[in-house]
Amino acid sequence: LDDAVSRVIFGAFYQSGQSCIGVQRIIIHENVFQSFRDKLVTATKALVMGDPKDESTFIGPMISAKEAERLENWVKSAVAHGAKLLCGGKRTGAMLEATLLENVPKGEKICAQEAFGPVAVLSSFRDFEQALDEVNDSVYGLQAGVFTRDIYKAHRAWDKLEVGGVLIGEVPSWRVDHMPYGGVKESGLGREGIRFAMEDMTEIRMMILRKK
């Protein structure tokens, strides 16, 4: 669990959550939910917020005070409609604390839209198929991370998840430049990567010789 917690903390809060492949929805098996949640909350509270020029800082400002206020309002709306605030949620200007929520209604923007900030939501599952369905219940489909030692579940996730990339034992925030990076649904068309960039910059031509 400790390794998964460490990776989820990174995925949810690096660049203050301002990443298209940041961790936003954390779906945890009910048998380890309480333990994982407690470890995650403790680790989140320990993150240093401040000046990004300071090497000890992990949570810096969002791109603007307007965006931080937007996300703060999403958090407030979720709490007003029954979500539980586990930590964070406070804002000063463009700085929003690293925030974790649970029991967020599915219709809330913090679940249904891209947060693009330091906020993640927790939910639990009993059946693996249920977890996969929950991942797919989204208009987005960029990447998904699955922490499991079961190779069958790893392949099942690969078969069923409606995303451009499935990372096993890693958060979806991992990427390298030469991989075929991209998503499905409202996460875009096509792929990034060296090969695909070369293809995009190449004018494909054809010559046909008729044999007579």
Side-chain angles (χ1 to χ4, degrees):
L1 284 185
D2 290 340
D3 176 67
V5 167
S6 174
R7 296 308 298 156
V8 168
I9 286 290
F10 169 78
F13 301 122
Y14 82 106
Q15 297 174 184
S16 297
Q18 298 167 115
S19 169
C20 55
I21 46 175
V23 173
Q24 184 171 337
R25 295 185 297 161
I26 307 167
I27 307 169
I28 308 160
H29 194 277
E30 62 181 13
N31 288 350
V32 296
F33 181 82
Q34 184 173 341
S35 176
F36 192 90
R37 178 193 61 196
D38 293 347
K39 288 175 179 288
L40 200 62
V41 169
T42 298
T44 300
K45 288 181 176 179
L47 296 176
V48 176
M49 184 171 72
D51 187 344
K53 294 191 294 293
D54 186 335
E55 291 187 2
S56 66
T57 296
F58 197 88
I59 299 292
M62 291 183 62
I63 190 66
S64 68
K66 180 180 178 181
E67 282 300 296
E69 183 180 12
R70 168 192 61 81
L71 195 49
E72 178 191 32
N73 288 335
W74 285 15
V75 171
K76 288 180 177 179
S77 175
V79 172
H81 290 92
K84 181 179 180 180
L85 180 65
L86 299 175
C87 63
K90 296 179 181 178
R91 179 184 67 87
T92 303
M95 301 286 288
L96 180 66
E97 292 178 339
T99 303
L100 294 174
L101 297 159
E102 68 174 336
N103 300 325
V104 179
K106 287 187 177 181
E108 285 297 308
K109 289 182 178 180
I110 199 65
C111 270
Q113 298 185 27
E114 186 177 22
F116 216 75
V119 180
V121 300
L122 282 63
S123 61
S124 65
F125 72 93
R126 176 174 298 175
D127 177 73
F128 190 64
E129 293 295 316
Q130 172 197 349
L132 300 181
D133 289 339
E134 187 169 344
V135 173
N136 287 339
D137 186 19
S138 172
V139 297
Y140 303 109
L142 190 48
Q143 295 195 153
V146 180
F147 285 85
T148 180
R149 292 191 179 99
D150 187 328
I151 192 64
Y152 169 79
K153 286 185 171 65
H155 281 285
R156 180 59 180 157
W158 164 248
D159 287 338
K160 188 171 182 179
L161 289 179
E162 299 166 357
V163 295
V166 177
L167 291 85
I168 306 301
E170 181 58 286
V171 289
S173 315
W174 188 92
R175 65 164 294 193
V176 289
D177 287 339
H178 58 273
M179 65 188 260
Y181 171 72
V184 299
K185 297 191 279 191
E186 291 191 19
S187 288
L189 297 171
R191 294 293 179 267
E192 296 179 20
I194 297 170
R195 168 191 164 187
F196 306 96
M198 291 173 66
E199 289 178 355
D200 287 342
M201 298 298 290
T202 300
E203 186 68 44
I204 298 175
R205 302 175 65 220
M206 178 176 66
M207 181 177 74
I208 298 174
L209 289 174
R210 174 174 173 256
K211 183 179 179 181
K212 185 176 181 182

